[in-house]
Amino acid sequence: MIFDEKTTIDSGKAILGIEFGSTRIKAVLIDPQNRPIAQGSHSWENQLVDGLWTYSLDAIWDGLRDCYADLLKDVREKYNTVIENLAGIGISAMMHGYMAFNDKDDLLVPFRTWRNTNTGQAAAELSKLFVYNIPLRWSISHLYQCILNGDEHVKDIKFQTTLAGYIHWKLTGEKVIGIGDASGMIPVDSDTKTYNAGMVSKFDELIAPNGYGWKLLDIFPKVLVAGENAGCLTAEGARLLDVSGHLKAGIPLCPPEGDAGTGMAATNAVKKRTGNVSAGTSSFSMIVLEKELSKPYEVIDMVTTPDGSPVAMVHCNNCTSEINAWVNIFREFLALIREPVDNNKLYSALFGVANDGQPDCGGLLAYNYVSGEPVAGLVDGRPLFVRSATDKFNLANFMRSQLYASIAVLKIGNDILLKQENVKVDRITGHGGLFKSTNAGQKVLAAALNSPISVMKTAGEGGAWGIALLTSFLVNNPDRLSLADFLDKNVFAGDAGTEIAPSFAEVEGFNSYIEMYKQGLAIEHCAVDSKK
């Protein structure tokens, strides 16, 4: 049965997906055919407080309510109606980080986001203990670093979760988490579909001398896989989300997921030998593996798809923030000479001219490290632009170097997978802000990975649409298809997007650039060490 949009909304058949990104909270409403029919958003920024990146609880809830109100405005303007009921809701957010609560449900210390790099000692010791790469940003690293620091609050922890797990808990009362998000807290077992029992046991033994009144499974959320019911919206949760009071309680929610999992869903990349690259404020690639890697690598994280398959993840803290900063400089110049340009037109023009740059950027180098970059061995960041007097310095090469910088670290990590481990990939799909303006980002990524890159029309919908699809998998899957089959048949129906393959010259150009880039990292390290 085909519903028109207003009937879909009025009959409670629409599905809501909400994702908390680094700079924007986005809501997407979809119909039973999984098509976006309305959206809302709220812009926000993390704050550096006492040396740690955080968002306040007020910012989280004010942002959620404003995002939902913006969605309601879109629904009212398009369809002259309001949302009273929904077929389902899904919550997603940035993975990892640290949110710890006491027995009164009070947050013990300010939320510590994935962006923090203060967990080096903990991550190193746990990686050695587990014989497994444990990144700085993972929740277990944050927890153990607090223990190593002797933080007083640790003894009072009753519950620790991620941002998505926290919001879901407050909306439903359920302390659960999707397996993809869980795999960024501590490694999970793809066979048992829960936390790795051996590593949990090792951690409990490690901290036993501290005498805390809890073990890890006492405080971590229960793990669920895609398609499992994760509770229903409570009356209190409905009020937290919708201050207008129209939204009813009792709506089912899917397991809360991280942005990596929603990216996989949004790009139809949950099958083996598929992958995706998400490129926004941060960037990460996800390759679904046929088999385990031969050994652990410090720059490669092992996580899972939303249904529990092993995934090799290369995560980079920095991607488009420095590009945005430079575009803003050009915007200020245009305002100065009284020639203002629409934002989309400005990005399209600057990204477009990058296509005219030389394959190796004419020798120009850019480093986009607004924050620390673990893959490059940097605990802090200094954005830099470097050139010699003989380099070919023009706008095309400059913008091309900024685009190259946005995915240079991603290439370094993926070269390990594709060249050293000989991982096979049939399809890589790009999504996120880097791919919105012209095809320049797509072409650069294809050159970096020496692989065809597909971008779908839904690339801009991102994780909010992805978590809406995971909710649809819960409530609109009577035939109990697997997640991969559900996405293939009910969402994408053979649509692989628009594909761009790199030329030999482009691949060779990026390879030349990355060798210069690696040599130039010494400059970045000096800048960081100078404390300037």
Side-chain angles (χ1 to χ4, degrees):
M1 182 177 183
I2 299 177
F3 292 85
D4 66 80
E5 290 86 347
K6 185 177 185 303
T7 300
T8 294
I9 296 167
D10 290 343
S11 62
K13 300 293 185 182
I15 290 171
L16 173 62
I18 298 175
E19 181 159 280
F20 285 68
S22 300
T23 60
R24 191 165 66 134
I25 305 169
K26 185 175 180 181
V28 170
L29 200 68
I30 66 172
D31 65 14
Q33 287 75 45
N34 302 303
R35 299 172 301 198
I37 57 176
Q39 65 179 17
S41 67
H42 169 85
S43 296
W44 70 338
E45 287 287 349
N46 54 190
Q47 304 295 319
L48 189 62
V49 180
D50 296 328
L52 295 171
W53 293 104
T54 187
Y55 300 87
S56 70
L57 292 186
D58 285 344
I60 292 169
W61 292 109
D62 289 346
L64 177 63
R65 286 187 284 264
D66 186 62
C67 177
Y68 186 76
D70 194 46
L71 173 74
L72 294 181
K73 178 183 177 183
D74 192 40
V75 167
R76 184 170 60 252
E77 291 176 350
K78 286 180 176 176
Y79 311 117
N80 192 31
T81 190
V82 298
I83 299 173
E84 294 189 352
N85 202 2
L86 293 161
I89 299 173
I91 299 295
S92 176
M94 301 167 281
M95 293 173 67
H96 321 297
Y98 185 68
M99 299 192 83
F101 301 85
N102 63 17
D103 57 0
K104 297 179 181 178
D105 296 342
D106 297 324
L107 187 66
L108 290 167
V109 293
F111 168 38
R112 298 174 184 179
T113 78
W114 59 271
R115 199 170 192 175
N116 290 292
T117 55
N118 64 311
T119 56
Q121 181 183 357
E125 290 186 14
L126 292 175
S127 295
K128 183 177 180 181
L129 177 69
F130 297 157
V131 195
Y132 199 99
N133 178 43
I134 303 297
L136 301 177
R137 66 189 183 281
W138 280 25
S139 302
I140 196 68
S141 295
H142 285 279
L143 173 60
Y144 189 47
Q145 191 65 53
C146 290
I147 294 172
L148 291 173
N149 293 345
D151 290 355
E152 184 68 19
H153 76 270
V154 175
K155 70 180 190 316
D156 298 321
I157 298 176
K158 292 296 180 182
F159 181 48
Q160 182 189 339
T161 191
T162 63
L163 179 56
Y166 164 66
I167 297 163
H168 182 96
W169 167 40
K170 290 301 181 181
L171 295 181
T172 66
E174 300 291 336
K175 295 179 178 180
V176 299
I177 191 170
I179 192 169
D181 206 10
S183 68
M185 294 187 74
I186 190 173
V188 302
D189 186 325
S190 291
D191 293 327
T192 63
K193 310 296 185 187
T194 190
Y195 305 113
N196 185 292
M199 296 183 192
V200 168
S201 178
K202 286 182 179 181
F203 184 81
D204 286 338
E205 291 175 10
L206 176 67
I207 67 169
N210 295 84
Y212 301 127
W214 52 262
K215 291 187 176 182
L216 197 61
L217 295 186
D218 296 330
I219 64 172
F220 268 24
K222 179 183 178 182
V223 179
L224 300 175
V225 298
E228 291 190 278
N229 193 301
C232 293
L233 185 69
T234 62
E236 180 183 7
R239 290 192 296 270
L240 284 172
L241 181 58
D242 181 15
V243 295
S244 73
H246 288 100
L247 191 63
K248 297 177 181 178
I251 300 168
L253 273 78
C254 74
E257 263 299 349
D259 48 0
T262 58
M264 285 184 270
T267 55
N268 194 20
V270 299
K271 282 184 177 179
K272 293 177 181 179
R273 294 176 63 117
T274 64
N276 78 91
V277 170
S278 174
T281 303
S282 63
S283 69
F284 51 82
S285 64
M286 314 285 293
I287 306 296
V288 187
L289 301 177
E290 295 180 282
K291 60 181 181 180
E292 295 288 338
L293 300 180
S294 65
K295 62 180 181 179
Y297 292 92
E298 187 175 352
V299 301
I300 297 173
D301 308 344
M302 293 302 301
V303 291
T304 76
T305 62
D307 57 352
S309 297
V311 174
M313 177 183 189
V314 177
H315 183 280
C316 309
N317 282 2
N318 302 278
C319 186
T320 58
S321 293
E322 182 66 356
I323 291 176
N324 295 339
W326 278 107
V327 171
N328 191 56
I329 291 294
F330 290 112
R331 183 185 297 110
E332 289 182 11
F333 169 73
L334 291 171
L336 184 67
I337 62 172
R338 294 183 172 84
E339 294 288 347
V341 173
D342 170 79
N343 198 46
N344 290 333
K345 186 176 181 180
L346 180 57
Y347 271 95
S348 294
L350 290 172
F351 275 43
V353 77
N355 283 329
D356 299 328
Q358 294 171 269
D360 66 350
C361 303
L364 309 184
L365 284 176
Y367 295 92
N368 66 336
Y369 304 150
V370 175
S371 65
E373 190 58 78
V375 175
L378 291 158
V379 297
D380 201 357
R382 298 291 186 275
L384 294 175
F385 174 69
V386 182
R387 71 182 181 97
S388 71
T390 57
D391 290 336
K392 295 177 176 60
F393 184 40
N394 56 40
L395 182 61
N397 282 339
F398 174 78
M399 286 307 303
R400 194 177 187 95
S401 73
Q402 294 297 329
L403 286 174
Y404 275 24
S406 70
I407 55 173
V409 179
L410 195 73
K411 174 180 173 56
I412 291 171
N414 275 279
D415 278 352
I416 295 173
L417 289 174
L418 303 177
K419 295 180 179 180
Q420 293 180 224
E421 288 284 337
N422 294 313
V423 169
K424 304 301 181 185
V425 187
D426 295 329
R427 186 185 74 244
I428 298 177
T429 306
H431 68 115
L434 187 67
F435 307 106
K436 288 183 180 180
S437 299
T438 74
N439 62 4
Q442 188 178 1
K443 291 181 69 175
V444 165
L445 182 62
L449 301 186
N450 191 18
S451 170
I453 303 296
S454 297
V455 172
M456 299 178 180
K457 293 179 180 178
T458 52
E461 301 296 342
W465 185 55
I467 192 65
L469 295 180
L470 293 176
T471 309
S472 182
F473 179 61
L474 168 68
V475 301
N476 289 328
N477 186 22
D479 297 329
R480 311 313 302 165
L481 299 173
S482 68
L483 178 59
D485 287 344
F486 177 84
L487 294 173
D488 272 346
K489 296 178 180 179
N490 295 359
V491 180
F492 296 97
D495 179 15
T498 301
E499 183 179 272
I500 289 180
S503 68
F504 176 80
E506 289 168 333
V507 173
E508 289 300 298
F510 204 111
N511 285 338
S512 296
Y513 173 88
I514 206 68
E515 291 307 313
M516 294 186 295
Y517 182 95
K518 291 175 183 177
Q519 294 173 20
L521 280 172
I523 307 169
E524 180 72 23
H525 281 273
C526 287
V528 171
D529 292 342
S530 73
K531 307 296 182 183
K532 171 60 178 174

